[in-house]
Amino acid sequence: MLEELKEKVYKANMLLPKYHLVTFTWGNVSGIDREKGLFVIKPSGVDYDKLSPEDMVVVDLLGNKVEGRYNPSSDTATHVVLYNRFKNIGGIVHTHSTWATSWAQAGRDIPCYGTTHADYLYGSVPCVRNLTKKEIDEDYEKNTGILIADEFVRRNKDYEATPAVLCKNHGPFTWGKDAKDAVHNAVVLEEVAKMAARSEWINPNEKEAPQELQDKHYYRKHGKNAYYGQRDIKVMV
Amino acid sequence: MLEELKEKVYKANMLLPKYHLVTFTWGNVSGIDREKGLFVIKPSGVDYDKLSPEDMVVVDLLGNKVEGRYNPSSDTATHVVLYNRFKNIGGIVHTHSTWATSWAQAGRDIPCYGTTHADYLYGSVPCVRNLTKKEIDEDYEKNTGILIADEFVRRNKDYEATPAVLCKNHGPFTWGKDAKDAVHNAVVLEEVAKMAARSEWINPNEKEAPQELQDKHYYRKHGKNAYYGQRDIKVMV
Amino acid sequence: MLEELKEKVYKANMLLPKYHLVTFTWGNVSGIDREKGLFVIKPSGVDYDKLSPEDMVVVDLLGNKVEGRYNPSSDTATHVVLYNRFKNIGGIVHTHSTWATSWAQAGRDIPCYGTTHADYLYGSVPCVRNLTKKEIDEDYEKNTGILIADEFVRRNKDYEATPAVLCKNHGPFTWGKDAKDAVHNAVVLEEVAKMAARSEWINPNEKEAPQELQDKHYYRKHGKNAYYGQRDIKVMV
Amino acid sequence: MLEELKEKVYKANMLLPKYHLVTFTWGNVSGIDREKGLFVIKPSGVDYDKLSPEDMVVVDLLGNKVEGRYNPSSDTATHVVLYNRFKNIGGIVHTHSTWATSWAQAGRDIPCYGTTHADYLYGSVPCVRNLTKKEIDEDYEKNTGILIADEFVRRNKDYEATPAVLCKNHGPFTWGKDAKDAVHNAVVLEEVAKMAARSEWINPNEKEAPQELQDKHYYRKHGKNAYYGQRDIKVMV
C-alpha cells in the first residue's frame, strides 16, 4: 500500500545523509496521504545504507502501525501530533543537524539576521521549553508534539510561514508541503543556524534584520505577489 | 544569440556549487558583451543540477529580457545597475556564501588582516547600509545596485581594485573582468571572510595589516610592476 | 591466529579515516577475544592506506606481543590496562579527533547539553588530570590506563554507561562491546564535543540538560525498558 | 635535469590540494639536491590542475633560475634564504592554509596545548614580526627569509625540532627533511592551529601542556630513544 508515497518518503530520507544532516541513524522523515489519513515514516534505528522503500512503515493518525515489518521511528508519536494539529503540512523531518542542535542545546530562538532566513522562515525560529518530568514520564514523544503545536498557538505564529522549531536540549523539527519540502526546510534551517551563530560572534551587538527587509524577501518568494523563480513554467527545484 | 557567452556564463555558474558557495539556487552569475550592450544571466530559481547553457537568459542594459524561455534571476535589476555604473566590469556574482554572508549579517566591513586579502581586494571590503523602507518598496533590486555604486563613490573606493561588497543583512556581490573572474573573487572573498573572523577570535585586539604590506602584495599581482605569475607566457589560472 | 578478529579490528581501524577521526596515523583501534585473553591492535605508525588485516598485532593481557611482524601501537600499554580493569569491554579506540582533542586540551569535562549526548554517554564525559612527571617517566602509557580506570572509580562512574574519556592535553579514548562499537562511540564523542562547544558560544550561560531528559533518552536506548530501534528483528546498524 | 627530484617535488605540490591546504594557486613546495646545490620549485601562479613534473623550475642557491620554461614561485627568494641558513632541511612549503593563516593574521605564536603539537613541533610555533617598510621595499621575499632565520637564532630555537613558522599578517612556512616531509609538517601545523584556537575558546584560561608531557611525546617520536612506529622495519608513512 502507498507504494508511491513510500518511494517519495524513502528518497526524502536519503537526502538527509546527502545534505550532511545526519550521523548514523539520527534523523527521520515522514510524509502523509491526507485523503487516506495515513503517513509513511522511516523505521527506527535502521541505517541509511541499508534502507529501501519497502522498509518504510505506514502509520495512522492515532499512531497505530498499519503496515511494515519494522517498528516505526521512536519519534512517531511526535509526528502523529504534528499531522493532527498542523492540518496543512504534508511532511515532517527530525534531525540532530549540528548547528540547529547547538542552538537547541543553547535554548535560544534563532533570530532573523538576514535574507537567507527571511526567504524561507518568517520571523525567528522558536525554541520550545523543556518538558516537565511529568510530561516526560507520561508520554515523552507525544508531549513533544503537543508542546510544539501549543507554542505556535501561544506565540500566535503561523506554522506554514515558519516551518521549523527547536526543542530545548534536543534538536530541530521542520515540516513542509511534502516530505521533500520538509527536508529542504531542514537544510535551510541548518544554514541559517550556522550563519546566525557566526554573525553574533563577528558582531556581539548584532540586531535582527529590519522588518521591511524580512517582509520583502519572504513575500518575494511566497504568496500571491511572489516573483522569485518561474511562475508560469514548470521548473524542478 | 551570444552562444559563446552563454556557455561561459553557464560554466561560471557551475563553479558556484563546485566551490561550495551556494546551497540550492542561492546564487547567480552574469557576464556581459560590452559591444552589444547585452548580458547573460542565470534564470531565477532553477536548480544547478538542471541547468544548461541554453537556459541562460539574455538581458539588455535597461533590464529588458531579450531572449530566453525562463525569467532571469530575481536580482537582475541589481546586475543592470552595476553594469551601467561600473563600466569596466565584465561579470557579476551574487551568493549567500556562509562566511561572507555572516559578515553581511553582522553589518561590518571586512578589514584587511593579511596578504590573502591584499593579494586580490584593495583595502577593507565595504558593507553598505540597509535600504530604507521607501527604497525597498519602490524598487528593491534596482536600489540595491544604486546603493552599492553610490557607496564606492562616497568612500572614494576604486571598484576595480576592490571587486566585492557586502549588503547588510543580505549577502555579498563580487565582480571581475568576466564571469569566471567574478567567481574567482567570490571564492577569495569567502576565504578572506572566514580567516578575518577567526583571526579576531584568536586575537580580539587584532589590527589591520600594515599599509606597506597591503600595497606590496596588491601591486605584486596588479598593475604595471606586477611580477606574480607568468607575464610573458600564456598560462591558464 | 585470530583471523576473524583481525579482520574485524582491521575494518574498525579503517572506519577512523572514513569518519574523519584521524589525520595520518594518529589513531588506533583494538578488539579483544576474552576467552583467549588476547587482543588485536593496529601496528604503530603504519599509514591507513597501507594497512591490511594481516598487519594487525596480537598482544596478551600482560602486554606481550604474541604474533605479528610489526610493533603494536605505541599506546598498547594503555589498552592492556583498560582491558584488565574494564572487564566488560570488547574494543578500544584512541584518536586525536579535533573537537574531542580540543576539549582535552582545554582540560574540561564535556557537560551533557542534549539528547545526542544522553543517547549514548551517561552524564558528562570526564577529563582526567595530567600525569605527574614521575608517572610519565616511569611508564607513560601504562599509567595513562591506570589514571583513566582510577578516575571512573574515584567519580563512581559506570564505564559501560559512559564509554569515553578525555586525557588532559592529549586526546580521547572510547570503548565499547567490540571494536566497531568503540569506533561508533568515538564518532558520537566527536559530534557531542563539537555541539557542546558551539552551544556554549551561542549561550555562555548554558546549563546541562535536565536530569529527567538525560535519563529518558539514555534509557530509551539502553537497558531492559529500551524501545529505540528494532528489538525483535535483527537489524544491522 | 634533476628529473627524479622534479617528480618528488611535483608530487609534494599535489599533496597541498589533497590535504585542503590551498585555494587556487596559493601555495608552493620546493625540494633541494644538497650535493648539486640546486632546488626545484613550483612555477608562479600555475594552477594545480594543470601542473606536471616538467613544469617544475630549477633554481640555484643564489636564486638564479637554472632551468624551466616558467618563472619560479614569487616566494623563491624566501626559499633561497631558508636553504642557505637552515643547512639540514631538504624541503620547504608555503601555504595560506586557513587556520595557520588565521593565527598569522592574529600575530600570535601558537602555544603547545597538547600532544598532537608536541609529537611534531617542539615548543610554541613562532610568529615573526612584520617587515619594516624599508625591508619590504628593498627585497620583500628575501627579507622574509632572513627575518625567519634570524628569529630562530634570536629565540635560540632549533629549526629541526620546530619546523614551522608564521609570518605576521601573511601565513605559514614549514620545512622538513624533504619536500614530502615539509608538506607533512604543513598538515600538522594546520591541525594544531585549529585545535589550539578551539581549545582557547572552550577554556579561555587554558595553559600550555606541562613540559614533561611535551618532552615525552616529542622524544617518543624523535631522537635515539624514540619508540613510536617501526624502527627496524621499512614502513611507508
Side-chain angles (χ1 to χ4, degrees):
Chain A
M1 65 191 296
L2 298 173
E3 300 310 316
E4 199 180 340
L5 184 59
K6 279 181 191 165
E7 180 74 26
K8 282 183 182 167
V9 171
Y10 163 76
K11 282 188 179 163
N13 270 287
M14 295 310 289
L15 291 175
L16 298 187
K18 180 185 167 189
Y19 285 111
H20 307 294
L21 297 179
V22 294
T23 302
F24 299 125
T25 63
W26 309 348
N28 46 73
V29 183
S30 71
I32 195 166
D33 181 325
R34 285 282 178 189
E35 281 193 21
K36 295 202 172 68
L38 297 172
F39 69 91
V40 163
I41 191 165
K42 181 178 174 292
S44 181
V46 176
D47 198 39
Y48 287 90
D49 290 352
K50 323 277 184 200
L51 215 57
S52 68
E54 54 270 30
D55 294 338
M56 299 294 114
V57 185
V58 181
V59 179
D60 70 21
L61 284 173
L62 297 171
N64 301 307
K65 181 164 117 175
V66 173
E67 193 208 55
R69 59 188 176 113
Y70 285 124
N71 298 330
S73 164
S74 57
D75 295 308
T76 297
T78 309
H79 292 240
V80 169
V81 173
L82 293 180
Y83 282 124
N84 281 303
R85 295 282 299 272
F86 294 168
K87 299 292 187 191
N88 297 336
I89 67 175
I92 297 172
V93 172
H94 171 55
T95 75
H96 290 221
S97 67
T98 65
W99 285 98
T101 301
S102 296
W103 279 87
Q105 291 189 163
R108 291 185 53 199
D109 294 2
I110 304 177
C112 180
Y113 286 136
T115 60
T116 319
H117 183 131
D119 276 337
Y120 296 98
L121 302 164
Y122 193 77
S124 62
V125 175
C127 181
V128 303
R129 66 166 170 80
N130 287 124
L131 291 172
T132 63
K133 184 164 190 324
K134 186 163 171 294
E135 290 167 327
I136 291 173
D137 290 345
E138 195 184 78
D139 196 331
Y140 174 62
E141 291 83 4
K142 179 178 163 188
N143 285 330
T144 296
I146 293 173
L147 180 62
I148 292 170
D150 285 356
E151 186 71 8
F152 275 75
V153 174
R154 196 179 70 79
R155 297 202 192 192
N156 198 24
K157 278 189 91 81
D158 174 356
Y159 68 83
E160 291 183 87
T162 313
V165 76
L166 305 176
C167 294
K168 190 162 183 230
N169 299 115
H170 183 30
F173 283 84
T174 60
W175 45 85
K177 61 182 199 292
D178 56 27
K180 187 182 177 183
D181 188 47
V183 174
H184 190 284
N185 288 331
V187 176
V188 170
L189 178 64
E190 183 65 6
E191 277 295 300
V192 159
K194 177 167 62 183
M195 296 199 296
R198 289 176 177 167
S199 295
E200 291 191 351
W201 301 336
I202 292 169
N203 181 0
N205 299 316
E206 150 123 73
K207 301 277 183 299
E208 287 193 82
Q211 191 60 46
E212 57 269 18
L213 181 64
Q214 295 188 35
D215 286 349
K216 177 67 190 177
H217 270 263
Y218 188 77
Y219 293 112
R220 187 165 93 151
K221 286 208 163 181
H222 300 86
K224 66 175 168 36
N225 295 320
Y227 58 92
Y228 180 93
Q230 309 297 333
R231 298 289 142 183
D232 307 321
I233 306 160
K234 180 75 193 145
V235 179
M236 305 316 288
V237 181
Chain B
M1 63 192 297
L2 298 173
E3 300 311 316
E4 199 181 341
L5 184 59
K6 279 182 191 166
E7 180 73 27
K8 282 184 182 168
V9 171
Y10 163 74
K11 281 188 180 166
N13 270 287
M14 296 310 289
L15 292 176
L16 298 187
K18 181 185 167 188
Y19 284 111
H20 307 293
L21 298 179
V22 293
T23 301
F24 299 125
T25 63
W26 308 348
N28 46 73
V29 183
S30 70
I32 193 166
D33 181 324
R34 284 281 177 191
E35 281 193 21
K36 297 202 172 66
L38 297 173
F39 69 91
V40 164
I41 191 165
K42 180 178 174 292
S44 180
V46 176
D47 199 38
Y48 288 91
D49 291 352
K50 322 278 184 200
L51 214 59
S52 68
E54 53 270 31
D55 295 338
M56 299 295 113
V57 185
V58 181
V59 180
D60 70 21
L61 283 173
L62 297 171
N64 301 307
K65 180 164 118 174
V66 174
E67 192 208 55
R69 60 190 176 112
Y70 286 124
N71 299 330
S73 163
S74 56
D75 296 308
T76 296
T78 309
H79 292 241
V80 169
V81 174
L82 293 180
Y83 281 124
N84 281 303
R85 295 281 299 272
F86 294 167
K87 300 291 187 192
N88 297 335
I89 67 176
I92 297 171
V93 173
H94 171 54
T95 76
H96 290 222
S97 67
T98 64
W99 285 98
T101 302
S102 296
W103 279 88
Q105 292 190 164
R108 289 185 53 199
D109 294 2
I110 304 177
C112 180
Y113 286 136
T115 60
T116 319
H117 182 131
D119 277 337
Y120 296 98
L121 303 163
Y122 194 77
S124 62
V125 175
C127 180
V128 305
R129 66 166 169 80
N130 288 124
L131 290 172
T132 63
K133 186 168 188 321
K134 186 164 172 293
E135 289 167 328
I136 290 173
D137 290 345
E138 193 184 81
D139 195 331
Y140 174 62
E141 291 83 3
K142 179 178 162 187
N143 285 330
T144 295
I146 293 172
L147 180 61
I148 292 169
D150 284 356
E151 185 72 7
F152 275 75
V153 173
R154 197 181 69 81
R155 297 202 192 193
N156 197 27
K157 278 189 90 80
D158 174 357
Y159 68 82
E160 291 184 86
T162 313
V165 76
L166 305 176
C167 294
K168 191 162 181 230
N169 298 116
H170 183 31
F173 283 84
T174 60
W175 45 85
K177 60 183 200 289
D178 56 27
K180 188 182 177 185
D181 188 47
V183 174
H184 189 284
N185 288 331
V187 176
V188 170
L189 179 64
E190 183 65 5
E191 278 295 299
V192 159
K194 177 167 63 182
M195 296 199 295
R198 289 176 177 167
S199 296
E200 291 190 351
W201 302 335
I202 292 169
N203 181 359
N205 299 316
E206 150 122 73
K207 301 276 183 300
E208 287 192 82
Q211 190 60 46
E212 55 269 17
L213 182 64
Q214 295 188 36
D215 287 349
K216 177 68 191 177
H217 270 262
Y218 188 77
Y219 292 112
R220 187 165 94 150
K221 286 207 166 185
H222 300 85
K224 66 175 167 34
N225 295 320
Y227 58 93
Y228 180 92
Q230 309 297 334
R231 298 290 141 182
D232 307 319
I233 306 160
K234 180 74 193 144
V235 178
M236 305 317 287
V237 182
Chain C
M1 63 193 296
L2 298 174
E3 300 309 316
E4 200 181 338
L5 184 59
K6 280 181 191 165
E7 179 74 27
K8 281 183 183 168
V9 171
Y10 163 74
K11 281 188 180 164
N13 269 288
M14 296 310 289
L15 292 175
L16 298 187
K18 180 184 167 189
Y19 284 111
H20 308 293
L21 297 179
V22 293
T23 301
F24 299 125
T25 63
W26 308 348
N28 46 73
V29 183
S30 70
I32 194 167
D33 181 323
R34 286 281 177 191
E35 282 193 21
K36 295 204 174 66
L38 297 172
F39 69 92
V40 163
I41 191 165
K42 181 177 175 293
S44 180
V46 176
D47 198 39
Y48 287 91
D49 290 353
K50 322 278 184 202
L51 214 57
S52 69
E54 54 269 31
D55 295 339
M56 299 295 114
V57 185
V58 181
V59 179
D60 70 19
L61 283 173
L62 296 170
N64 301 308
K65 181 164 117 175
V66 174
E67 193 208 57
R69 59 190 177 112
Y70 286 124
N71 298 329
S73 164
S74 56
D75 296 307
T76 297
T78 309
H79 291 241
V80 170
V81 175
L82 293 180
Y83 281 125
N84 281 304
R85 295 282 298 272
F86 294 168
K87 300 290 186 193
N88 297 335
I89 67 175
I92 297 172
V93 173
H94 171 55
T95 75
H96 290 221
S97 67
T98 65
W99 285 97
T101 301
S102 296
W103 279 87
Q105 291 189 164
R108 289 184 55 199
D109 294 1
I110 305 177
C112 181
Y113 286 136
T115 61
T116 318
H117 182 131
D119 277 339
Y120 296 98
L121 303 164
Y122 193 78
S124 62
V125 174
C127 180
V128 304
R129 65 166 170 81
N130 287 125
L131 290 173
T132 62
K133 184 165 190 322
K134 186 163 170 293
E135 289 167 327
I136 290 173
D137 290 345
E138 195 184 78
D139 196 331
Y140 173 62
E141 291 84 2
K142 180 179 163 187
N143 285 330
T144 295
I146 293 173
L147 180 61
I148 292 169
D150 284 355
E151 185 72 6
F152 275 75
V153 174
R154 196 179 71 80
R155 297 200 192 196
N156 197 25
K157 278 189 91 83
D158 174 356
Y159 68 83
E160 291 184 86
T162 314
V165 76
L166 305 176
C167 295
K168 191 163 181 226
N169 299 115
H170 183 31
F173 283 84
T174 60
W175 45 85
K177 60 182 200 291
D178 55 26
K180 187 182 178 184
D181 188 47
V183 174
H184 189 284
N185 289 331
V187 176
V188 170
L189 179 64
E190 183 66 6
E191 278 295 299
V192 159
K194 177 167 62 183
M195 296 199 295
R198 289 176 177 167
S199 296
E200 291 191 350
W201 302 335
I202 292 168
N203 181 359
N205 298 316
E206 151 123 73
K207 301 277 182 300
E208 287 193 81
Q211 190 61 46
E212 56 269 20
L213 181 65
Q214 295 188 35
D215 286 349
K216 177 67 191 175
H217 270 261
Y218 188 76
Y219 293 112
R220 185 166 95 151
K221 287 208 165 184
H222 300 85
K224 67 176 167 33
N225 296 318
Y227 58 92
Y228 180 92
Q230 309 297 334
R231 298 288 142 183
D232 307 321
I233 306 160
K234 180 75 194 144
V235 179
M236 306 317 288
V237 181
Chain D
M1 65 193 293
L2 298 174
E3 300 310 314
E4 199 181 339
L5 185 60
K6 278 181 191 166
E7 180 74 26
K8 283 183 182 168
V9 171
Y10 162 75
K11 281 186 180 165
N13 270 287
M14 296 310 289
L15 292 175
L16 298 187
K18 181 185 166 189
Y19 285 111
H20 308 294
L21 297 179
V22 294
T23 301
F24 298 126
T25 62
W26 309 347
N28 46 73
V29 183
S30 70
I32 194 166
D33 182 325
R34 284 282 176 190
E35 282 194 20
K36 297 202 172 68
L38 297 172
F39 69 92
V40 164
I41 191 166
K42 181 178 175 292
S44 181
V46 176
D47 198 39
Y48 287 91
D49 290 353
K50 322 277 184 203
L51 215 57
S52 69
E54 54 270 31
D55 295 338
M56 299 295 113
V57 185
V58 181
V59 179
D60 69 20
L61 284 174
L62 296 171
N64 301 308
K65 180 164 118 174
V66 173
E67 193 209 55
R69 60 189 176 112
Y70 286 124
N71 298 330
S73 163
S74 56
D75 296 307
T76 297
T78 310
H79 291 241
V80 170
V81 174
L82 293 180
Y83 281 125
N84 281 303
R85 295 282 298 271
F86 294 168
K87 299 291 185 191
N88 297 335
I89 67 175
I92 296 171
V93 173
H94 171 55
T95 76
H96 291 221
S97 67
T98 64
W99 285 97
T101 301
S102 296
W103 279 87
Q105 292 190 165
R108 289 184 54 199
D109 294 1
I110 305 177
C112 181
Y113 286 136
T115 61
T116 319
H117 183 132
D119 277 337
Y120 297 98
L121 303 163
Y122 193 78
S124 62
V125 175
C127 180
V128 303
R129 66 167 170 80
N130 288 125
L131 291 172
T132 63
K133 185 166 190 321
K134 183 163 172 294
E135 289 167 327
I136 290 173
D137 290 346
E138 194 185 80
D139 195 331
Y140 174 62
E141 291 83 4
K142 179 179 162 187
N143 285 330
T144 297
I146 293 173
L147 180 61
I148 292 169
D150 284 356
E151 185 72 7
F152 275 75
V153 173
R154 197 180 70 78
R155 297 201 192 194
N156 198 25
K157 279 189 89 81
D158 175 356
Y159 68 83
E160 291 184 87
T162 313
V165 76
L166 305 176
C167 295
K168 190 162 183 231
N169 298 115
H170 183 31
F173 283 85
T174 61
W175 45 85
K177 62 182 198 290
D178 55 28
K180 188 182 177 185
D181 189 47
V183 175
H184 189 283
N185 289 330
V187 176
V188 170
L189 178 65
E190 183 65 5
E191 278 295 299
V192 159
K194 177 167 64 182
M195 296 199 296
R198 289 176 177 167
S199 296
E200 291 191 351
W201 302 335
I202 292 168
N203 181 359
N205 299 315
E206 151 122 73
K207 301 279 182 300
E208 286 193 83
Q211 191 60 46
E212 56 269 18
L213 181 64
Q214 295 188 35
D215 286 349
K216 177 68 191 176
H217 270 264
Y218 188 77
Y219 293 112
R220 186 165 94 150
K221 287 208 167 184
H222 300 85
K224 67 175 164 37
N225 295 319
Y227 57 92
Y228 181 92
Q230 309 297 334
R231 298 288 142 184
D232 307 321
I233 305 161
K234 180 76 194 145
V235 179
M236 305 317 288
V237 181

